[in-house]
Amino acid sequence: MVSEHSDTVDDTSALALKILVAGGFGVGKTTLVGAVSEIRPLRTEELLSEAGQLVDDTDGVDQKVTTTVAMDFGRITIRAGLSLYLFGTPGQDRFWFLWDELSQGALGAVVLADTRRLEDCFPAVDYFEHRHIPFVVAVNCFAGARGYGAHDVSRALDLDRGTPVVLCDARDRDSGKEVLIRLVEYAGRMHTARLLDSVR
């Protein structure tokens, strides 16, 4: 609601949507949340330790020294009256039990993918497909990685028809924002279609 004496949107009419940012270890989830968030992001990162070498596969991400152990959190305003609350999930197998809690009430998810280790995003794709949570796959274009088109990635991941695949740079705010807008649009269409199916 907009007041007659103000151009600002009344907080009581603002819509906040919950979005998950998921994917494999070291794919750029924390980076994406931090790049787009308009608030200082909450991070739960810890240094990688020698004890974790047996369970954390750092092949391809040799420079990584920290890991998310609970979640990342950020917020971005897409337009007046519409904000997204971003929850970055931990990437390692041993933290997957947190996903069920984090996914409660989520409109949809971004699955970040690295074409050098594409298999690392299979668990996230399977998770959201089995729970009928709309998602887009965002290919984080790392320097030095071989370039693949959206169709190639979609086929390699055996995605359901219509699941969007977008190329992005997780470090770039505008690129990350475009991914989120694409997700909101896609999730909106999916939820509308399900609602129509339920009343037929």
Side-chain angles (χ1 to χ4, degrees):
M1 176 184 296
V2 180
S3 166
E4 294 179 14
H5 306 292
S6 173
D7 292 329
T8 61
V9 176
D10 185 346
D11 286 343
T12 59
S13 66
L15 179 62
L17 303 175
K18 182 179 183 181
I19 301 295
L20 299 186
V21 179
F25 177 63
V27 77
K29 300 179 296 294
T30 298
T31 300
L32 177 64
V33 173
V36 301
S37 181
E38 63 199 17
I39 62 171
R40 183 177 178 181
L42 168 68
R43 294 182 171 144
T44 57
E45 289 193 304
E46 294 293 338
L47 290 172
L48 291 171
S49 65
E50 289 185 18
Q53 289 178 351
L54 299 175
V55 290
D56 293 330
D57 181 8
T58 57
D59 285 347
V61 285
D62 302 335
Q63 304 302 314
K64 188 170 176 61
V65 295
T66 62
T67 184
T68 299
V69 297
M71 68 172 187
D72 299 308
F73 175 77
R75 186 189 72 210
I76 179 174
T77 300
I78 297 296
R79 59 171 171 74
L82 175 60
S83 296
L84 304 183
Y85 289 164
L86 308 175
F87 292 81
T89 65
Q92 302 98 308
D93 303 12
R94 66 185 186 278
F95 296 125
W96 282 350
F97 69 92
L98 294 169
W99 286 34
D100 287 336
E101 289 294 326
L102 291 174
S103 66
Q104 292 294 318
L107 173 77
V110 173
V111 176
L112 270 178
D114 178 352
T115 56
R116 300 170 302 179
R117 299 176 294 124
L118 198 56
E119 67 280 1
D120 288 359
C121 72
F122 281 140
V125 168
D126 289 342
Y127 182 91
F128 297 121
E129 283 184 344
H130 290 146
R131 286 159 181 79
H132 306 290
I133 297 173
F135 68 94
V136 301
V137 173
V139 179
N140 193 7
C141 299
F142 286 91
R146 180 179 169 188
Y148 291 90
H151 179 71
D152 294 328
V153 173
S154 179
R155 191 169 54 185
L157 293 175
D158 192 26
L159 297 176
D160 290 340
R161 185 176 179 182
T163 302
V165 176
V166 294
L167 306 181
C168 75
D169 181 344
R171 302 165 299 178
D172 182 75
R173 177 180 171 83
D174 289 337
S175 180
K177 188 174 180 179
E178 285 301 314
V179 170
L180 295 171
I181 291 171
R182 186 81 177 270
L183 171 63
V184 171
E185 292 172 345
Y186 175 66
R189 292 195 303 271
M190 293 293 291
H191 286 292
T192 299
R194 289 172 188 169
L195 182 60
L196 291 174
D197 285 342
S198 70
V199 298
R200 283 175 184 159

